[in-house]
Amino acid sequence: MSVVERDEERGARARANGGAAEDHDRIAVENPATGETIAHVPDMGADEVAELVARARRAQPAWDALGFEGRARVMYEARAWLVENRDRMLRTIIEETGKTREDAIVGDWSFICDSLGFWAKRARRYLKDERVRSRSPFLLGKKLVVRHRPIGVVGVIGPWNFPLNLCFGDAIAALMAGNAVVLKPSEITPLSTLLMAEGMRAAGLPEGVMPVATGRGGTGAALVDGADMIMFTGSTATGKKIMARAAETLTPVSLELGGKDPMIVLRDADLERAANAAVSYAMANGGQVCTSVERVYVEEPVYDDFVARVVDKTRRLRQGAPGEPGAVEVGAVTFAPQADVVEDHVHDAVEKGARVLVGGERGAGPGRFFQPTVLTDVDHSMKAMTEETFGPTLPIMKVRDEEEAVRLANDSEYGLNSSVWTRDVERGEAIARRIEAGNTCVNDGLINFVAQEVPFGGVKSSGLGYRHSGGGIRKYTQPHTICVTRFAPKRELHFYPYSARTSRMLERGLALLYGRKRRR
Ligand code: NAD
């Protein structure tokens, strides 16, 4: 039986039972763009999570034994399933997040299609055995091999802003490495993960290899207790709790956390492109992107021109419930408390002297919206410039020069994405190297995320570890070093029993080796 229950089914069951369906241990899933409850999922307790982990542990060895080719076949089948079922998947994502169809296509669906092919093709190369020659004289003539062994059961805990990409998306590399995965989607948006699990079954993923644990924070905490490794994407506050809990069992964690991404616009920038990017990358997905442009620093001579362009473009944005392709640019606020955070940041800024040039208010219902908002006259005394807003706001600050821009960009507890805008790309790259962040674009923003060949991660409070690239799959494995001795004497010089003769030989030989001035 499916764990998700659409509300029409639920009504029928309640009528058949002669009354209302019970609500305990179940979580209502809302469509934020309409305010309607669309489904209910179980809030799983610790015992149920332990059972899912145990089931995944039993299924893992056979999945690993399938080899890269066997596992890749499932990934390619899953990609074909996603393309065939894209309307169903897109509708599910849109319904549970309130985002636009375009945001769902670019940010979730197409990325996952790409990712399935990427890891299916690359996993073998990234994880192939490494033959190593040691420089140690003790290893002369011996064979050294490092293999990358799956860690076992990986727990993937995801947020609500990209429910397919940042939950199932992180499972793909873990699965290709030969692990079983227990997925714990956000309680706000569990439906696309459940649908993807159905797709994986249809693609031939063996039973038990990727169960889904629906539930709130407690469900996630139980997964931390049971899994062999945790891949977490979410807020910095939760990331710290997870790391503390994982310390109890020495469980490794990879944490992708919050951001407050700066954009630096220099006087020689292509202002039209920079303004287009600022608006798109601040408002995309309703501003609910960890790598959104969250604050802009513009050099004085071009500040007025840049602000005028941004204001004009922001005014033209259409916001509302997602409908036909191209219908609106900005969708709903997915998570109810996030609307309060956005409002608080705008009010705090205004109280401290900021000006609202566009928006600044909650949008009209019945769904939950916040107007695309442009703020100026902002500074670092304001939450809008220092704390993660995670909404459709764009605060712009005037700076004297490059030095001030870099200093302010780095004046943050976060360090996820960032960007520098200038026609002098060499200077742009030099400035990029001074930014304290996991990623910096020159004349672009956040698009680096889709380059899965390179690491994506955060520094400071933005995370620990990274996803994508070779390291992004090796983190789901344990290096297993195998040392093979084939031809060797019965007794090595360092074996027992010690004798004065062999000890002296050993000491002299080593002194000769390390006594040379030549580099070795
Ligand atoms: P959140 O931290 O509230 O929740 C994330 C997940 O953690 C949910 O599934 C939740 O149920 C679970 N959880 C909550 N408490 C837990 C606990 N004690 N133990 C285990 N699991 C627990 O985050 P959110 O509000 O869903 O997501 C928004 C945040 O995610 C923002 O800060 C955003 O910047 C960040 N984010 C980061 C990235 C990145 O790649 N760096 C990407 C997207 C979102």
Side-chain angles (χ1 to χ4, degrees):
M1 195 189 87
S2 164
V3 290
V4 60
E5 195 172 23
R6 291 267 159 188
D7 270 13
E8 51 279 22
E9 299 162 19
R10 183 178 162 72
R13 186 166 65 84
R15 281 191 297 279
N17 289 343
E22 285 178 52
D23 256 334
H24 71 266
D25 295 343
R26 296 180 73 77
I27 299 169
V29 182
E30 182 204 21
N31 179 339
T34 63
E36 286 166 341
T37 299
I38 49 173
H40 286 78
V41 296
D43 185 11
M44 291 188 184
D47 289 351
E48 284 166 286
V49 175
E51 211 177 291
L52 292 186
V53 172
R55 197 191 305 165
R57 205 176 289 296
R58 285 194 297 275
Q60 186 267 332
W63 172 245
D64 183 30
L66 263 187
F68 289 112
E69 210 128 286
R71 296 195 292 271
R73 258 197 304 277
V74 174
M75 300 302 156
Y76 288 126
E77 280 295 325
R79 188 172 66 177
W81 182 92
L82 257 183
V83 172
E84 269 165 39
N85 291 273
R86 67 180 176 282
D87 200 54
R88 205 172 147 213
M89 180 55 85
L90 288 171
R91 265 191 295 119
T92 303
I93 296 169
I94 292 165
E95 270 181 23
E96 66 179 353
T97 60
K99 66 173 74 181
T100 66
R101 192 173 175 90
E102 290 74 7
D103 287 335
I105 289 173
V106 176
D108 282 292
W109 172 76
S110 70
F111 182 82
I112 292 303
C113 290
D114 194 53
S115 199
L116 284 161
F118 177 82
W119 292 113
K121 190 161 175 221
R122 297 281 186 115
R124 179 198 288 276
R125 192 198 315 163
Y126 286 144
L127 299 182
K128 74 170 191 289
D129 287 1
E130 294 163 46
R131 278 289 292 269
V132 179
R133 263 187 56 186
S134 172
R135 69 199 300 277
S136 167
F138 293 98
L139 272 298
L140 259 180
K142 296 179 197 296
K143 174 177 159 187
L144 282 173
V145 182
V146 182
R147 69 180 269 244
H148 300 282
R149 175 158 63 186
I151 241 166
V153 177
V154 175
V156 176
I157 304 176
W160 46 259
N161 60 332
F162 290 101
L164 184 64
N165 184 340
L166 298 175
C167 195
F168 172 70
D170 281 309
I172 302 170
L175 289 169
M176 275 309 298
N179 297 286
V181 173
V182 178
L183 291 176
K184 160 44 189 109
S186 167
E187 60 273 37
I188 311 302
T189 55
L191 304 181
S192 22
T193 298
L194 289 165
L195 180 56
M196 193 65 226
E198 183 188 322
M200 290 301 281
R201 280 194 296 276
L205 188 75
E207 204 51 51
V209 174
M210 195 188 76
V212 180
T214 56
R216 300 192 171 87
T219 311
L223 185 54
V224 175
D225 292 343
D228 303 316
M229 187 233 168
I230 290 293
M231 169 65 217
F232 171 75
T233 306
S235 64
T236 300
T238 307
K240 287 179 182 173
K241 282 188 207 162
I242 286 178
M243 194 166 171
R245 192 163 184 129
E248 296 295 320
T249 45
L250 282 184
T251 301
V253 294
S254 186
L255 306 173
E256 299 284 349
L257 310 176
K260 188 72 191 170
D261 295 357
M263 172 180 192
I264 295 177
V265 182
L266 299 177
R267 64 191 75 194
D268 66 341
D270 176 342
L271 283 193
E272 182 60 13
R273 177 171 165 78
N276 277 326
V279 176
S280 295
Y281 291 149
M283 310 299 171
N285 212 51
Q288 303 158 117
V289 187
C290 55
T291 52
S292 283
V293 169
E294 285 248 340
R295 51 196 171 114
V296 188
Y297 303 99
V298 187
E299 270 196 299
E300 209 165 0
V302 293
Y303 174 82
D304 289 339
D305 190 354
F306 179 80
V307 169
R309 290 174 199 249
V310 163
V311 164
D312 179 50
K313 292 172 198 303
T314 307
R315 280 213 178 101
R316 290 166 200 247
L317 295 177
R318 296 157 301 165
Q319 183 173 45
E324 292 304 299
V328 288
E329 279 86 24
V330 186
V333 177
T334 304
F335 183 44
Q338 204 62 43
D340 301 334
V341 172
V342 179
E343 193 169 45
D344 176 47
H345 285 196
V346 172
H347 287 173
D348 172 73
V350 170
E351 272 166 28
K352 291 172 180 160
R355 283 196 304 150
V356 176
L357 300 190
V358 191
E361 305 285 336
R362 285 171 190 260
R368 184 171 48 243
F369 297 93
F370 200 94
Q371 297 170 342
T373 297
V374 178
L375 295 167
T376 55
D377 299 341
V378 289
D379 61 44
H380 278 215
S381 71
M382 302 168 186
K383 293 179 190 175
M385 292 300 278
T386 55
E387 295 178 17
E388 186 180 46
T389 307
F390 221 56
T393 60
L394 188 53
I396 310 174
M397 183 169 173
K398 190 192 291 183
V399 291
R400 263 190 321 278
D401 54 20
E402 169 190 328
E403 284 309 310
E404 188 180 17
V406 171
R407 183 178 61 74
L408 288 168
N410 289 339
D411 177 26
S412 172
E413 70 163 299
Y414 295 108
L416 193 54
N417 239 66
S418 48
S419 64
V420 180
W421 297 75
T422 168
R423 283 196 170 87
D424 181 347
V425 291
E426 274 162 30
R427 180 175 169 221
E429 206 181 312
I431 296 171
R433 286 168 191 271
R434 297 175 60 199
I435 306 290
E436 295 162 7
N439 323 274
T440 307
C441 295
V442 176
N443 297 326
D444 217 317
L446 68 85
I447 200 69
N448 52 292
F449 187 93
V450 302
Q452 297 189 67
E453 298 78 2
V454 287
F456 173 89
V459 299
K460 301 200 266 188
S461 292
S462 288
L464 194 71
Y466 56 90
R467 50 163 70 95
H468 304 167
S469 76
I473 188 165
R474 280 195 283 271
K475 74 181 180 188
Y476 294 124
T477 65
Q478 282 164 332
H480 182 197
T481 297
I482 298 171
C483 176
V484 181
T485 301
R486 186 176 287 159
F487 306 110
K490 302 282 179 239
R491 198 165 74 82
E492 305 265 4
L493 281 184
H494 55 279
F495 280 6
Y496 292 148
Y498 292 151
S499 78
R501 192 179 67 87
T502 52
S503 293
R504 256 185 240 115
M505 264 172 67
L506 186 66
E507 189 178 327
R508 278 198 205 118
L510 292 173
L512 204 66
L513 182 68
Y514 297 126
R516 287 179 304 178
K517 294 267 163 63
R518 204 154 51 83
R519 256 211 231 155
R520 185 175 175 275

